[in-house]
Amino acid sequence: MSLITFTFVAGITPGPNNMMLLASGLNHGIRRSLPHYFGICIGFPVMVAVVGFGIGALFAEYPSAYLYLKVLGITYLLYLSWKIGNAGNPSAAKKIREPFTFLQAAAFQWLNPKAWVIAVGALAAFTIPDNVKLSVAVIIAVYFLMGFICMAVWLILGQGLQRFLGSGKRIHYFNILMALLLALSVIPMAFSDFDVVV
C-alpha cells in the first residue's frame, strides 16, 4: 500500500508531465494527445526498469553524470515552457502548436528531473535487498498502472478546460499560465538531489 500511495502521489501531483498533458489536452484534445499520453505511460516505467536494473550503478560511480543530466533536463523544460506559452498564439509557428509524439514523450522522461527523483526515490525506498529483481519488477508494474490513471486525469482535465475556456485569447492566457507553472516547477528540481543506492 505504501508503494501504491507513493506512486499515486508522485504521479498525480503537478510536474512537467502533468502540466504538458494538461496543455496538450487543452490545445489538441484527447485523441491527438494520445501519443503523448502513451509515451509518458510507457516511457517512464521503461526508464525505471533501466535505472532499477543497472544504470543506477553508473550514477553511483560517476555522480557528475547526474548533474549534467539535470542541467540538460532543466534547460529542456524551460524550452518546453516557451513552447507551451506560445501554444494558442495565432502568430506562433505551426511546429510550436504540434502535440508531442510517442517517442518525444518517452524520450522526455530521461530529461525530466522530477521523473529521475521519483524513479530513484521509489527504487531506494521500496527495493528489498534480498530480492532486488522482484522488487524492481513490482515497482515498474505499479508505476505502469498508476501512470495510466494519473496521466489520464490530467489529459481529461485539459480537454474539459478546452470547453470551459472556449478559444482564442483565454486559451492563450491559460497556456502562458501553464508555461509559467512548468518553468517554476524547475526551481525545486534545480536544488534537489538524490543518493543513488540501487
Side-chain angles (χ1 to χ4, degrees), residues 166-179:
S167 61
K169 287 186 177 180
R170 284 186 286 182
I171 288 180
H172 182 54
Y173 293 143
F174 186 81
N175 285 334
I176 292 172
L177 175 63
M178 288 299 98

Side-chain angles (χ1 to χ4, degrees), residues 1-124:
M1 280 306 297
S2 57
L3 173 60
I4 291 170
T5 302
F6 178 88
T7 54
F8 177 77
V9 170
I12 204 71
T13 52
N17 282 326
N18 313 80
M19 294 295 104
M20 289 166 49
L21 262 185
L22 180 73
S24 188
L26 172 68
N27 291 289
H28 309 294
I30 290 175
R31 189 180 62 79
R32 288 191 66 206
S33 299
L34 284 177
H36 187 170
Y37 169 76
F38 286 114
I40 294 170
C41 295
I42 295 170
F44 180 68
V46 167
M47 187 187 93
V48 173
V50 172
V51 172
F53 290 124
I55 201 173
L58 175 70
F59 287 128
E61 192 166 339
Y62 303 102
S64 61
Y66 172 66
L67 176 63
Y68 296 131
L69 186 67
K70 182 193 281 190
V71 170
L72 184 62
I74 288 171
T75 303
Y76 189 61
L77 280 172
L78 293 173
Y79 167 70
L80 290 174
S81 297
W82 175 79
K83 285 183 69 170
I84 289 172
N86 279 288
N89 180 356
S91 63
K94 181 180 184 294
K95 188 173 182 181
I96 292 173
R97 298 193 301 261
E98 288 298 312
F100 259 31
T101 66
F102 175 86
L103 290 177
Q104 286 173 326
F108 171 70
Q109 303 316 301
W110 294 90
L111 296 176
N112 182 351
K114 181 186 176 186
W116 279 101
V117 170
I118 63 176
V120 173
L123 290 165

